[in-house]
Amino acid sequence: MSLEVIVLAAGKGKRMQSDLPKVLHTLAGRPLISHVLDTAKALQPHAIHVVCGGDGESVRAATSGDELRWVVQAQQRGTGHAVQQALPGVSQDALVLVMYADVPLVRCDTLRAVVNSAGEKGLSLLTVIADDPTGYGRILRDSEGRIEGIVEERDASEDQRAITEVNTGILAAPAPALARWLAQVTDDNDQNEFYLTDVAALADQDNFAIHSVVASTQEEVLGVNSRQELALLERLYQRRLAEVLMNHGVTVIDPDRLDIRGKVTAGRDCVLDINVVLEGAVDLGDRVTIGPNNVIRNASIDDDVVVFANCVIEHASIGAGARIGPFARIRPGAAIEEQVHVGNFVEIKNSELRAGAKVNHLSYVGDSTVGRNTNIGAGVITCNYDGAHKHRTEIGDDVFVGSNSQLVAPVTIEQGATVGAGSTITSDVPERTLAVTRARQRHVSGWRRPRKDTKR
Ligand code: UD1
Ligand code: CA
């Protein structure tokens, strides 16, 4: 039997109080549904069908690139009705796994267990023992522990409500059986909906074996219905990501104050201080230290780099042993080589800083090359923009640019040259010369400062 997955994503998500479809709210920076689709894909199913509502266009757009079969459930008439919409597109010899797009943390291994226990003449349910079963469908078992059905809370008796084993909603069964049972489901219940859960009792009547896989933690099967639950799941998920890093030898000062919204790799003995946000693809070498309050997006940071507090680094590479910050902004296209120092209130954009270069204070370096061991003094600005075009500044090796100088691009400062402090450089500086453009200092003797008139 081949496997096909049906992902239910049509629910309105009223409790989110949002104009955005619920499944597009993000967990770790990605839509809820993308997490579910990733897990589904890991099972390598023959097909993935997504049931969405009338507002499905935006969901479709957000998951473009994935090979999915879309089914529209124009009216939300219940989970059973939703599955029924997808079944005509499912192959007759398929085993169907039903997943919920708003249950993002479910693990692949757990789903595999559900799929494996279903088989040709079985229905398999993923259940969990809940601390507080309120709101969930309860699993009904006979005296020998065999599952007889599922009852929704609002349709349950007092005794049934005391049951703590609940339905997660995730189930697997052969497609033809599922179709047969769903054709018999009615909306004769408190919500007048066609419940998927009713297939359990029908399977029992059909002499199908009903298997259950009991999820090991409730966290794994939590759904998102409100912003509170979204925040809770975000923390749980972040915990998981922090665990993985710690297992690989990264010190995480406080796992509750680390946020990963992408894919992070790290070597040994890295340290991540508090309030670090890592987004996109972030690769850290060995012994990298990231201080507090850093945002790092799509960057590779080599061995022994120290990023001090309060920096923003994006689309950049940082070579071994470099020191960045505090309060530095490293923008896209920055290629910073080994042992470079970039200090406080320095902005680097689309520039190469060769090994050993130093830009320590209050500078803007854009569209530039800064040579090896060159020193850029405090307050230096590369004037890269003339209002219409960007121009490059080329600075050779061992150059010294004095503080508060402006380098008006396009301009080249050849190796070994010195620029005197306070200069505005508009033409190329030959190698090993001094360029200085500031006015000479003069002294006016006997100079008297203006004074305020004193009233009589
Ligand atoms: C459902 C189960 C309940 C289980 C709980 C677990 C039923 C009848 N009940 O209840 O036993 O304990 O999940 O969280 O199945 N959806 C559609 N179309 C619809 C209705 C729902 O696509 O017409 C989708 C929703 O987007 C969501 C999922 O199905 O992803 C579950 O729907 P929801 O309304 O949240 O079901 P519950 O009442 O929570
Ligand atoms: Ca729900």
Side-chain angles (χ1 to χ4, degrees), residues 350-366:
N350 188 35
S351 295
E352 292 97 55
L353 273 61
R354 304 260 184 258
K358 292 187 178 63
V359 190
N360 272 326
H361 332 266
L362 300 148
S363 288
Y364 172 61
V365 176

Side-chain angles (χ1 to χ4, degrees), residues 15 22 100 102 225:
R15 278 190 280 157
K22 176 165 77 177
Y100 289 5
D102 57 359
N225 298 297

